[in-house]
Amino acid sequence: MNKFILLLLIITILAACETKTKSTSDSDFKVNSLKDSLSTELKQLQQTGQINGFGVAIVNDGGVLFQNGFGLADVKLGKPYTTNTLQNIASISKTFIGVALLKAQEMGKLNLDDSVGKYLPFDVYNPYYPDKVITVRHLATHTSTILDADLYGEKAYLLLNTDDHDLAKSLPSSAEFNLPDLTVDMGTFLKNFLSMDGEWYGKESFLNKKPGEMYEYSNVGATLAAYIIELATNQSYDEFTTQHILGPLNMSASGWAFDSIDPTKHTKLYTVKGEEIPYYSLITYPDGGLITSINDMAIYLCELIKGYSGQGELLSKTSYDRIFAALLSEKNFEERDTDRPFDDEYNAGIFMGHTPIGYLGHMGGDPGVSTFLFFNPQTRIGKLLFVNTDLDANGAKQFYAIWDKLGEYETKLAKATISSNL
């Protein structure tokens, strides 16, 4: 009798194990099938448009659900764009300023409501309202009244190689590429731009509104916030963010300059017509100069989602709540574009965009670069898209088709992955 019971028990356990293995195998198969299907559709989208290469990722607070690269990072050499391909990501970089500001505040180095004058070695105020204080929070919410105007595009961009100057001048671009020897340090750039004693100073660099009153997106204002982090912490912005963001997240492939990354992994950048754009950098590198990969930025996006959920590693829950809060209202905007679901200028947190449909994140654009980083706070699922080609109307249509395709799969992948992990 005992032998019979023991045999029955063994058979039951084996059957249960077989059922669980079969269930796990089925779940894994479904996940892989979804990934394969999505990859096939994205490959088809890449082949039917003008974007030479791009990388994508879908993540949640549990990790990466999907990531892949498509097309070419170097057309001449036939080098594929992969999840480890590096490129500058433009204004998504500003979200790092937000995290860095809150880290510095946690360390007691600064306060968001401090006047910028508390830290700067030169005066910065709106010439139309000289008695109104500009605060760090104003910079972080793009309500400082500091404008980029045309001057930013004329002064901020530097070629890496002098020999590329003639080529750069022949290419259509929203930015003017300056020779490398025209570089100045970030503080000097900002003083020239914003101080009455500065070489390029003009009232046209300020909005005729009171600080804190009106939203006006500003690369220069963002860079000023990063410079204040340097002055408050006595560290370069590069060093501070590497120590407190890139390092802790093991974003080892990323950096703020070409000499801090592996240049052989950097994608070529292209115009709409497929011409190569020479490599360039930004004097105002915190506002758009992070060089990174889909692989590294997927880790960062996971951290942002975890931070929103109260489980972040870089900052306290209170700090993350401040970053993601909607800090402005209708009165802070002259107009709002509700026709673009992922317009990140519908509302602002601390260098964190809010879209009309409630997503959180940031977009970016520079010569040869278009990028999206957003997550849905309801589902806690986020997406990344980096492309290495300028976009005209047709290119933008292709870009959004890729983005929408990711959206078709994100929930299915999340559910299938949960089942696979049970």
Side-chain angles (χ1 to χ4, degrees):
M1 186 68 177
N2 289 339
K3 289 183 179 180
F4 177 76
I5 293 174
L6 180 60
L7 180 61
L8 186 62
L9 181 61
I10 292 172
I11 291 172
T12 302
I13 292 172
L14 289 174
C17 289
E18 183 179 353
T19 301
K20 184 176 181 181
T21 300
K22 183 177 180 181
S23 176
T24 301
S25 178
D26 289 345
S27 297
D28 289 343
F29 177 81
K30 186 174 182 179
V31 171
N32 291 331
S33 179
L34 285 169
K35 290 180 178 180
D36 290 343
S37 178
L38 176 54
S39 292
T40 297
E41 295 192 53
L42 290 173
K43 184 177 181 180
Q44 291 171 346
L45 284 173
Q46 189 279 322
Q47 293 173 337
T48 58
Q50 69 188 43
I51 295 173
N52 288 302
F54 67 87
V56 298
I58 302 173
V59 309
N60 62 11
D61 52 7
V64 178
L65 303 173
F66 175 85
Q67 60 180 3
N68 209 341
F70 301 88
L72 297 174
D74 189 319
V75 174
K76 287 181 180 178
L77 299 180
K79 187 176 180 179
Y81 195 110
T82 74
T83 57
N84 293 314
T85 296
L86 298 174
Q87 72 168 73
N88 43 315
I89 59 168
S91 288
I92 291 177
S93 306
K94 291 182 178 68
T95 63
F96 286 77
I97 306 177
V99 175
L101 281 172
L102 269 297
K103 174 56 70 174
Q105 180 166 276
E106 286 183 355
M107 295 167 63
K109 301 295 185 179
L110 57 77
N111 189 288
L112 292 177
D113 294 313
D114 287 339
S115 163
V116 299
K118 179 177 179 179
Y119 304 97
L120 298 175
F122 49 86
D123 292 331
V124 174
Y125 56 85
N126 186 315
Y128 301 102
Y129 297 92
D131 296 330
K132 298 296 181 180
V133 170
I134 297 174
T135 68
V136 177
R137 187 184 298 272
H138 292 153
L139 299 176
T141 56
H142 295 291
T143 57
S144 69
T145 69
I146 294 172
L147 301 176
D148 292 337
D150 293 332
L151 192 60
Y152 174 81
E154 295 171 1
K155 301 293 186 182
Y157 293 81
L158 297 171
L159 292 170
L160 288 192
N161 299 307
T162 301
D163 293 343
D164 290 329
H165 193 236
D166 289 341
L167 172 61
K169 288 173 64 177
S170 71
L171 298 175
S173 176
S174 58
E176 182 174 330
F177 296 110
N178 295 290
L179 291 169
D181 58 6
L182 292 179
T183 189
V184 294
D185 65 82
M186 197 159 64
T188 300
F189 179 95
L190 291 166
K191 181 178 180 180
N192 284 342
F193 207 107
L194 298 171
S195 170
M196 288 191 70
D197 299 327
E199 182 180 346
W200 314 320
Y201 179 82
K203 292 180 71 173
E204 64 273 11
S205 295
F206 294 86
L207 186 68
N208 191 358
K209 296 287 183 180
K210 297 176 183 177
E213 188 173 70
M214 215 56 149
Y215 178 96
E216 188 68 37
Y217 190 87
S218 175
N219 290 291
V220 177
T223 304
L224 185 63
Y227 183 52
I228 287 172
I229 292 171
E230 291 192 339
L231 297 171
T233 64
N234 199 32
Q235 277 186 286
S236 72
Y237 180 76
D238 182 337
E239 293 171 343
F240 187 82
T241 51
T242 298
Q243 179 179 347
H244 296 289
I245 304 176
L246 302 182
L249 293 181
N250 293 316
M251 295 174 65
S252 57
S254 304
W256 293 100
F258 272 79
D259 60 7
S260 64
I261 56 101
D262 182 351
T264 66
K265 293 183 178 180
H266 198 292
T267 182
K268 298 289 186 181
L269 302 177
Y270 297 93
T271 69
V272 170
K273 295 182 178 180
E275 303 151 307
E276 285 188 18
I277 298 172
Y279 289 139
Y280 59 87
S281 63
L282 289 165
I283 296 174
T284 60
Y285 71 89
D287 75 60
L290 183 66
I291 303 171
T292 187
S293 65
I294 283 290
N295 185 62
D296 270 13
M297 283 299 288
I299 298 171
Y300 177 68
L301 181 52
C302 287
E303 167 64 16
L304 291 182
I305 297 172
K306 288 193 289 186
Y308 181 85
S309 305
Q311 304 297 322
E313 299 174 12
L314 298 180
L315 300 172
S316 68
K317 182 181 185 302
T318 298
S319 291
Y320 269 123
D321 287 345
R322 287 171 176 160
I323 285 178
F324 292 118
L327 298 175
L328 306 181
S329 63
E330 186 73 33
K331 67 180 181 180
N332 298 117
F333 297 85
E334 291 186 352
E335 59 181 355
R336 279 173 156 178
D337 186 357
T338 57
D339 295 329
R340 298 170 59 205
F342 290 94
D343 179 6
D344 60 358
E345 297 185 43
Y346 186 78
N347 207 325
I350 302 300
F351 287 117
M352 184 62 60
H354 291 243
T355 77
I357 60 173
Y359 278 47
L360 297 170
H362 218 292
M363 65 173 66
D366 259 331
V369 172
S370 290
T371 56
F372 265 20
L373 174 152
F374 290 103
F375 72 90
N376 183 334
Q378 301 301 317
T379 64
R380 308 293 204 273
I381 302 173
K383 303 189 290 291
L384 290 167
L385 172 56
F386 299 168
V387 309
N388 66 359
T389 310
D390 279 334
L391 305 178
D392 59 7
N394 289 328
K397 184 177 179 180
Q398 183 185 10
F399 183 96
Y400 279 102
I402 295 166
W403 186 256
D404 290 343
K405 185 61 63 178
L406 295 174
E408 291 176 20
Y409 279 81
E410 61 180 68
T411 301
K412 291 184 286 187
L413 274 168
K415 289 181 178 178
T417 301
I418 290 173
S419 297
S420 178
N421 291 334
L422 292 177

